[in-house]
Amino acid sequence: MRPRQTTRTSTVAAVLLALLAALLAAPPAAAAASGPVTVLSHGFEDGTTQGWTPRASDSVAVSTALARTGAASLASTGRTAGWNGPTLDLLGTLEQGTRYTFSVYVRLAPGESATTLRMSVERRSGSTPSYDQVAGSTNAGEGAWTQLTGTYTLAHDVDFLTVYIESASATAAFHVDDFTLTYTPPRPIQTDIPALKDVLAPHFPIGAAITRAETLGVHGELLARHFDSVTPGNALKWDATQPTEGDFRFADGDALIGYGAEHGMAVRGHTLVWHNQTPSWVFDDASGEPMTATPENKALLLSRLDAHIRAVVGHFGDAIGTWDVVNEVIDESQGDGLRRSRWFELTGLDYIRTAFRVAREAAPEAKLFINDYNTNVPAKRDKLHALVAQLLAEGVPVDGVGHQMHVTFEWPSVAETGEMLDRFAPLGVEQQITEMDMSVYRDSGESFPTPPADRLLTQGHRYQAMFDLFRAHDDQIGSVTLWGLADDSTWLDTFPVTRKDHPLLFDTELQAKPAYWGIVDPGQIGNPPGGQGCTVAYRTSSWQGGFQATVTVTSATAVAGWSLAWTFADGQRVTQMWNGRRTQNDAEVTVVNEPYNAVIAAGGSVSFGFLGSWSGTNASPTAFRFNGTACAVV
């Protein structure tokens, strides 16, 4: 009997060891599914500035004159320049490669005139400062608190790192309150869905514009899985590569192009000549004064252009196979169709001719493009066509036309876009889609706390229609590039106004959207993953004592009315709700539809949001019931 007992004991021990091993392996998976982690939370209720200091000669101090919550805020006074304001040292706080969410509430002091406020990060490697915007310029007044919020990923080695708040007004006094710094452990990318580059391989390469942040962690995994070309979004522009004369900086460009080479990706170089992001020194004369249109200044400017292109293109050599040589030179409101930039005012068309000819000498094998936006608009399209035809007739080496395609979910029409492609075909040049994204907004007056499900579905179908058109013209189109990787980082969050946009194929958690399925498999647009009867995405952003939640429900079947129920584990209370009506009995919460969002199509989604309060902890619910049926939580 003892041998049998010993065997049983060994078996139990083995099981326990296996269970222990499983538990030890569990935290990473659990972390990936958890809610936001709060790194810093400053409400100034302890009477100290909690590490915030003046950025210059201004003053920061705890004030009880205004408070968003509690009894105190931080006042910034005595400012003598717009960049003055409260700043917080983050060196050693932020980990490289992690995407953080910054949030702070701001309010002008009584009596101050309305102005804009924004939040940025200053980082330095050695003595070289760089500035990264976190929350764009946002209108602020003295009558209400305004939230500044945005995401930021540290993608560089630094020895100085701060976040700061500044204003357009040089002297405006303002208050800040309820600053939070959080991050959400990333969800794994989806590896059971088709890779974009494989689906589109029979037609053209698919690319993304990136920063160094998109090459790290799960972002780098998503980029490598789905894309076969990259465009450095800002790292190759003049202000990045030659901020002062003769001072060339290639570290960021080298890193991005090195990532592309490591993963077998082609690289588009963007851009050698543009009227924006060109340092002012380029247009100063030999004495340091702004240039006027003289033969001497024209010669000096063209010589600077020649030297810049030879240095930049020569540095990267054949690692870059395509260059946007000149960017956005068309203004259809002008009789000749040419933008009245400083380049044009001082050199006429010679800066374009020079740029292409020097680029050809510096990179004989590269494809050279002229790139512009709104080329689907007939007036602009025709002016660009006329310019390209003229340059070709003169022997200027223009190999292709780049169509940026910054569009919206309802503009332009597919027909207009097809006419754009057909217009340039007779010129015999290659065409590329160079900067595509698709805003979910109709105009600057719209702003959504979370994107409506119907907009995302419409966006998905519009991406489908556009890519069907591109496939039909694959004999003319050499590549398609999206201006960004995923919705968590897009320039449209601050243009034309500050608000969260969702213009790309993957959402803020790097998961495939209807826009992705519109390209890959339109029959899947709106279908919940895995064929579940319903799925629930519950996302929160917390601060001390409070939080905001966004809940999205996707139903596999059509419904004409809905309810969603869950249980809070930590005594949270819902205090305000939108896009739904709530009842709460102790920990039990039930939300039912509003009249306007009662109907959900098969495979469709509905979203609602709420504000809540908490103390102690704020764990996310782990189970939801949609019309009485348990849902998968994603």
Side-chain angles (χ1 to χ4, degrees):
M1 295 295 292
R2 293 190 61 84
R4 294 181 63 187
Q5 184 178 5
T6 302
T7 302
R8 183 179 180 187
T9 302
S10 300
T11 302
V12 171
V15 171
L16 290 174
L17 287 172
L19 288 173
L20 178 60
L23 288 172
L24 290 173
S34 64
V37 176
T38 299
V39 179
L40 295 174
S41 178
H42 294 163
F44 312 106
E45 298 303 311
D46 63 358
T48 74
T49 65
Q50 298 185 304
W52 291 81
T53 59
R55 194 155 182 251
S57 58
D58 52 310
S59 299
V60 297
V62 176
S63 170
T64 57
L66 290 173
R68 177 179 175 269
T69 59
S73 64
L74 188 72
S76 177
T77 59
R79 302 172 64 251
T80 59
W83 56 271
N84 294 176
T87 183
L88 180 67
D89 183 7
L90 295 177
L91 190 64
T93 300
L94 269 57
E95 294 185 2
Q96 196 172 126
T98 297
R99 189 171 296 273
Y100 293 89
T101 297
F102 289 73
S103 174
V104 70
Y105 287 84
V106 295
R107 180 173 175 174
L108 296 182
E112 296 288 359
S113 299
T115 186
T116 59
L117 293 164
R118 67 180 182 181
M119 178 167 45
S120 301
V121 163
E122 179 181 358
R123 55 181 168 84
R124 298 178 197 165
S125 299
S127 60
T128 303
S130 298
Y131 306 94
D132 302 317
Q133 184 172 280
V134 176
S137 296
T138 304
N139 293 330
E142 61 169 319
W145 291 92
T146 299
Q147 185 183 28
L148 304 179
T149 186
T151 61
Y152 178 72
T153 302
L154 178 64
H156 302 76
D157 295 325
V158 295
D159 46 40
F160 178 92
L161 185 67
T162 64
V163 62
Y164 62 94
I165 301 164
E166 61 184 342
S167 74
S169 167
T171 59
F174 58 86
H175 293 250
V176 303
D177 203 359
D178 295 330
F179 170 82
T180 59
L181 174 65
T182 63
Y183 72 91
T184 299
R187 295 177 64 188
I189 69 165
Q190 296 157 292
T191 57
D192 57 349
I193 61 175
L196 279 168
K197 61 185 180 183
D198 295 340
V199 173
L200 295 172
H203 304 283
F204 37 71
I206 183 74
I210 59 170
T211 66
R212 288 179 75 167
E214 278 73 50
T215 67
L216 303 174
V218 291
H219 290 81
E221 294 173 19
L222 185 73
L223 180 63
R225 175 173 174 77
H226 287 286
F227 297 92
D228 42 24
S229 75
V230 292
T231 298
N234 285 294
L236 302 184
K237 293 174 181 174
W238 199 313
D239 61 348
T241 53
Q242 194 184 184
T244 56
E245 190 164 14
D247 176 21
F248 287 95
R249 301 178 183 180
F250 297 119
D252 276 1
D254 286 341
L256 296 178
I257 291 159
Y259 174 91
E262 180 184 351
H263 292 85
M265 295 174 162
V267 180
R268 297 192 79 262
H270 179 82
T271 178
L272 296 174
V273 186
W274 190 26
H275 62 277
N276 279 333
Q277 292 183 244
T278 302
S280 60
W281 68 263
V282 177
F283 304 110
D284 288 343
D285 63 20
S287 64
E289 296 298 317
M291 287 181 174
T292 56
T294 66
E296 294 78 12
N297 284 336
K298 177 178 179 178
L300 176 59
L301 182 57
L302 292 179
S303 70
R304 287 173 175 166
L305 176 61
D306 184 303
H308 179 79
I309 292 176
R310 291 186 192 280
V312 174
V313 175
H315 174 83
F316 295 108
D318 59 7
I320 296 180
T322 302
W323 280 99
D324 289 330
V325 178
V326 295
N327 193 49
E328 299 179 3
V329 301
I330 298 298
D331 178 357
E332 65 271 31
S333 68
Q334 301 291 336
D336 57 8
L338 299 172
R339 181 185 292 276
R340 278 3 186 210
S341 65
R342 292 289 285 149
W343 290 107
F344 182 83
E345 291 170 350
L346 295 165
T347 74
L349 274 182
D350 282 344
Y351 80 97
I352 299 177
R353 298 182 178 109
T354 298
F356 275 99
R357 287 172 176 155
V358 173
R360 174 64 84 227
E361 293 173 10
E365 303 302 320
K367 296 178 180 179
L368 308 181
F369 275 69
I370 186 169
N371 190 52
D372 221 314
Y373 65 94
N374 285 1
T375 51
N376 55 282
V377 176
K380 189 163 192 174
R381 176 196 70 202
D382 292 344
K383 296 292 188 182
L384 178 59
H385 180 276
L387 173 61
V388 174
Q390 176 184 344
L391 295 172
L392 291 173
E394 294 174 356
V396 177
V398 180
D399 298 317
V401 171
H403 306 286
Q404 292 184 12
M405 288 294 290
H406 295 294
V407 300
T408 76
F409 74 101
E410 59 183 9
W411 177 90
S413 70
V414 175
E416 290 172 324
T417 307
E419 291 167 3
M420 170 192 80
L421 297 170
D422 291 339
R423 183 75 172 97
F424 289 90
L427 292 178
V429 295
E430 183 177 320
Q431 300 184 71
Q432 293 184 359
I433 308 301
T434 57
E435 305 181 20
M436 188 174 186
D437 48 28
M438 186 179 294
S439 174
V440 298
Y441 293 110
R442 283 196 172 93
D443 53 52
S444 296
E446 288 189 325
S447 182
F448 307 129
T450 188
D454 61 338
R455 287 287 172 95
L456 295 181
L457 292 174
T458 302
Q459 182 191 56
H461 289 295
R462 180 52 65 94
Y463 263 111
Q464 173 193 352
M466 286 296 184
F467 270 76
D468 284 348
L469 174 71
F470 298 159
R471 287 177 170 109
H473 286 75
D474 61 5
D475 58 331
Q476 301 170 27
I477 295 176
S479 70
V480 176
T481 296
L482 298 163
W483 203 247
L485 177 64
D487 287 345
D488 62 336
S489 182
T490 166
W491 75 295
L492 292 176
D493 285 350
T494 57
F495 181 88
V497 296
T498 299
R499 62 189 173 186
K500 185 73 193 100
D501 210 331
H502 306 265
L504 298 165
L505 309 185
F506 300 93
D507 66 17
T508 57
E509 295 187 314
L510 312 190
Q511 306 300 296
K513 292 166 52 184
Y516 162 88
W517 290 111
I519 298 171
V520 171
D521 183 359
Q524 297 297 318
I525 294 178
N527 287 345
Q532 298 284 345
C534 54
T535 60
V536 174
Y538 180 96
R539 307 290 181 254
T540 62
S541 176
S542 298
W543 55 90
Q544 188 59 44
F547 69 103
Q548 177 175 316
T550 300
V551 184
T552 300
V553 186
T554 303
S555 175
T557 58
V559 298
W562 55 266
S563 67
L564 185 72
W566 69 88
T567 301
F568 279 129
D570 300 311
Q572 299 98 319
R573 300 293 301 180
V574 178
T575 59
Q576 182 180 340
M577 176 162 287
W578 52 91
N579 294 341
R581 292 172 289 166
R582 76 184 189 277
T583 58
Q584 182 169 359
N585 295 314
D586 296 325
E588 299 289 331
V589 180
T590 300
V591 179
V592 299
N593 60 269
E594 294 284 6
Y596 57 80
N597 63 1
V599 176
I600 307 176
S605 301
V606 67
S607 295
F608 61 87
F610 62 87
L611 298 178
S613 62
W614 62 279
S615 61
T617 56
N618 183 28
S620 299
T622 57
F624 295 85
R625 300 176 304 283
F626 180 68
N627 289 348
T629 300
C631 294
V633 181
V634 298

